[in-house]
Amino acid sequence: MPLPTPLAQMEPRVASVRVATLADVPALLRIEDRCFSTDRLTRRSFNHLLRRGNATCLVATEGDVLAGYALLLFNAGTSLARLYSFAVDPDHRRKGIAEMLLEAGEKAAVDHDAAYIRLEVRRDNTPAIALYKKHGYREFGTFPDYYEDHMEALRLEKRLQPSTGPGGIRVPFYEQTTDFTCGAAALMMAMRALDLSVELTRKLELRIWRESTTIFMTSGHGGTGPFGLALAAWNRGFNVQLYVNDERPSFLDSVRNESKKEVMRIVHEEQAEELSRTGVELLYQPFTPDILAASLAEGAIPVVLISSYRIYREKFPHWVVVTGNDDKFFYVHDPLVEYEKHQTATDRINMPIPKREFERMAKYGKAQLKAAVILRPRRVD
């Protein structure tokens, strides 16, 4: 019988990284239990995320042992990746596994054409923060009371592809509080960017929605139309430029009931008449990427209608704020945060969208409606 190999002569186990499979879920759950006392991912969450086409889970193994993982989420229609969860088993730390996983995660993000990778980390997780900053991540915000134990989270991001970026977060973020107030929320962000005295409150959100709603739209509450948003901004003292490529009532083809269509026509006619008595610059023509870029360069803030399908795979009109641009991307704040789909505001702030993709999504419905409400600083009346 051969003698056991002395420990000094045993081959060291070398860590490697691969894509996780459903068979790894029990080991992933063990790592969750060993690494986190709160905010653990469940079996159901892992099973769901591993089956999603816009999520990638990478695992580091030493021999047959799963030593750590990095779970990334990707946003459809954007060039943004999010490091959703990241952990290394305590028995396998200080071996370079965390750096190996982080670098592999960044490579996976680049392979998905991501321009940025973002994450949240506990403010008291000093080793993790040091690791991220060593690898070029920068802090761009905080989440108060983010974790179950009320600990604050830091928001970090890293640029993965060279570009000038949006020039910092100049436009504040406000999350819509209902399914139908995206237009009001987007307009509020633009107004606040131009006037710090504007208070981002739910009262203002609902008031703007009431002023600008089309009353009916698709199968639910009416959303906010371009004429109504332009009026709401003008009535609050802002200079407003409205681009719309169709003189007909907006979103009319989203409802089938003729009586509802008639209501929408009446609302449109009233808003058009009121708009004609203002100084809003109304241009019946489609806006272009060059127009948006020039407006941003002048310090204006565009609020743009998009079709949600290219981001959410659901067909409904949606408003976003364009916060910046560079040679490759438009950056937008999207007021809709879908927490049930593992999103946070980090996923919706300064979302980088390739310019060609933005052109595709910046139209809605059979009529291919294109609309942009461009705000400039308050008037001096």
Side-chain angles (χ1 to χ4, degrees), residues 205-344:
E205 176 188 2
L206 295 175
R207 184 179 297 144
I208 290 175
W209 175 76
R210 291 200 312 270
E211 293 174 18
S212 55
T213 182
T214 58
I215 299 184
F216 294 112
M217 184 192 293
T218 60
S219 59
H221 293 87
T224 46
F227 280 33
L229 284 180
L231 281 169
W234 175 265
N235 289 337
R236 285 166 176 78
F238 292 91
N239 279 295
V240 183
Q241 194 175 40
L242 173 59
Y243 283 88
V244 60
N245 68 332
D246 196 335
E247 297 185 29
R248 294 173 297 176
S250 303
F251 316 128
L252 202 63
D253 57 4
S254 71
V255 298
R256 297 181 179 180
N257 185 289
E258 190 55 43
S259 63
K260 290 182 178 180
K261 288 186 176 184
E262 181 59 24
V263 169
M264 293 172 71
R265 291 188 188 98
I266 293 171
V267 170
H268 174 78
E269 290 170 4
E270 182 182 14
Q271 290 178 343
E273 182 180 345
E274 186 177 348
L275 204 64
S276 68
R277 297 193 295 268
T278 70
V280 171
E281 184 181 0
L282 175 55
L283 300 161
Y284 282 113
Q285 65 185 67
F287 63 89
T288 65
D290 288 343
I291 288 172
L292 293 185
S295 298
L296 289 163
E298 295 168 2
I301 309 293
V303 176
V304 176
L305 177 71
I306 68 168
S307 171
S308 63
Y309 184 77
R310 301 192 75 89
I311 296 179
Y312 299 105
R313 295 298 182 259
E314 296 179 37
K315 295 181 179 179
F316 57 87
H318 189 55
W319 292 94
V320 297
V321 188
V322 181
T323 59
N325 74 293
D326 58 28
D327 55 333
K328 294 181 180 179
F329 302 103
F330 281 114
Y331 297 84
V332 307
H333 284 358
D334 183 343
L336 178 60
V337 182
E338 297 184 302
Y339 292 97
E340 69 279 6
K341 295 183 180 179
H342 307 280
Q343 295 175 3
T344 68

